[in-house]
Amino acid sequence: MPETRRIGQIIRLKPECLQAYKDCHAAAWPAVLKQIKDCNISDYSIYFDDRSYTLFATMKWTGTDFEADMESMKANPEVRRWWEMTDSMQETLVDGSTGSTDSKGWWKDLEEVFRCE
Amino acid sequence: MPETRRIGQIIRLKPECLQAYKDCHAAAWPAVLKQIKDCNISDYSIYFDDRSYTLFATMKWTGTDFEADMESMKANPEVRRWWEMTDSMQETLVDGSTGSTDSKGWWKDLEEVFRCE
């Protein structure tokens, strides 16, 4: 029985990386986009706040095994290459995290306090 | 021809209002929820960051006249009563805004830098 989760996450963008971050996301690698879909993630958006330099991501996951989907994401070498690039443009808000492949995560997961489907 | 917009917004929550904010959103008024749907908004979530006390909202609008939908939202007295309550719990990040009924908006709209449907 598939279930749906909505995920909200934040991270800080390094100010000097703003244009490069926008550019690479405007032309995201097809293998990365395919892996996102293969992991049952949809409606994935990243928003940018120009005052706090915070990036805010939201996505919807609909599947049967969230952990397995996240593992297959991590196992994809193209995704890891993408993360190597994007991690270097960001400053995590997760204490002690070393990067996107760390089990702590690189983006900080937020609590959902309201939902209206 | 209907079009779709994805909206991402932020606002600051007053620390002393955290529990009240969660409580009222866990039991949002039916008239407010109905108005949201009547305005062609779906997938509306609000996330909370416990470090910066920032609220992040995302929603999807699919319709033919965004401005008209927002006007009908503003015209609903129950929505205005709801906003009176929630505005008082928040600190806007929009310079010079006086509240949710102000044309500037009370929540700050963010730039979308990535989307994967």
Side-chain angles (χ1 to χ4, degrees):
Chain A
M1 190 59 187
E3 57 158 328
T4 295
R5 294 190 197 181
R6 289 183 183 279
I7 296 160
Q9 304 176 314
I10 54 169
I11 205 160
R12 198 66 50 74
L13 182 65
K14 292 181 182 170
E16 67 273 22
C17 297
L18 175 57
Q19 197 53 53
Y21 195 88
K22 284 187 186 181
D23 289 348
C24 69
H25 281 82
W29 305 344
V32 172
L33 298 175
K34 181 178 184 306
Q35 184 64 60
I36 290 171
K37 288 175 200 283
D38 288 350
C39 289
N40 300 307
I41 288 168
S42 61
D43 292 351
Y44 189 171
S45 291
I46 300 176
Y47 297 94
F48 169 67
D49 175 32
D50 59 4
R51 187 143 82 179
S52 63
Y53 267 72
T54 304
L55 295 165
F56 165 44
T58 53
M59 65 198 83
K60 190 163 91 171
W61 171 83
T62 306
T64 54
D65 190 338
F66 184 75
E67 281 66 33
D69 282 343
M70 295 308 108
E71 284 309 312
S72 76
M73 179 87 83
K74 272 189 196 175
N76 184 320
E78 290 252 43
V79 170
R80 297 174 78 99
R81 217 153 57 81
W82 175 265
W83 283 345
E84 216 172 299
M85 175 183 67
T86 54
D87 282 8
S88 73
M89 300 179 180
Q90 300 159 341
E91 283 162 4
T92 188
L93 296 163
V94 179
D95 291 333
S97 174
T98 58
S100 285
T101 53
D102 193 314
S103 61
K104 290 179 183 165
W106 186 237
W107 287 74
K108 177 182 177 185
D109 282 311
L110 300 185
E111 178 188 359
E112 192 185 52
V113 294
F114 175 70
R115 181 190 299 173
C116 176
E117 305 264 335
Chain B
M1 191 58 187
E3 58 158 325
T4 295
R5 294 190 197 183
R6 289 183 183 278
I7 297 160
Q9 303 177 316
I10 56 169
I11 205 161
R12 198 66 50 75
L13 182 64
K14 292 181 182 171
E16 68 272 22
C17 297
L18 175 58
Q19 197 53 53
Y21 195 87
K22 284 187 185 182
D23 289 347
C24 70
H25 282 81
W29 305 343
V32 172
L33 298 175
K34 182 178 183 305
Q35 184 63 61
I36 290 171
K37 289 175 199 283
D38 288 350
C39 288
N40 301 307
I41 288 170
S42 61
D43 292 352
Y44 188 172
S45 292
I46 300 176
Y47 297 94
F48 170 66
D49 175 32
D50 58 4
R51 189 143 82 178
S52 63
Y53 267 71
T54 305
L55 296 165
F56 291 88
T58 53
M59 66 198 83
K60 190 164 91 172
W61 172 84
T62 307
T64 53
D65 189 338
F66 184 76
E67 281 64 34
D69 282 342
M70 296 308 108
E71 284 308 312
S72 76
M73 179 87 83
K74 272 190 196 174
N76 184 319
E78 291 252 41
V79 169
R80 296 174 79 99
R81 217 153 58 82
W82 176 266
W83 283 346
E84 216 173 298
M85 174 182 68
T86 54
D87 282 8
S88 74
M89 300 179 180
Q90 300 159 341
E91 283 162 3
T92 189
L93 296 162
V94 179
D95 291 334
S97 174
T98 58
S100 284
T101 53
D102 192 316
S103 61
K104 289 178 182 166
W106 186 237
W107 288 72
K108 177 182 177 183
D109 283 311
L110 300 185
E111 178 188 359
E112 193 184 52
V113 294
F114 175 70
R115 181 188 299 174
C116 175
E117 306 262 337

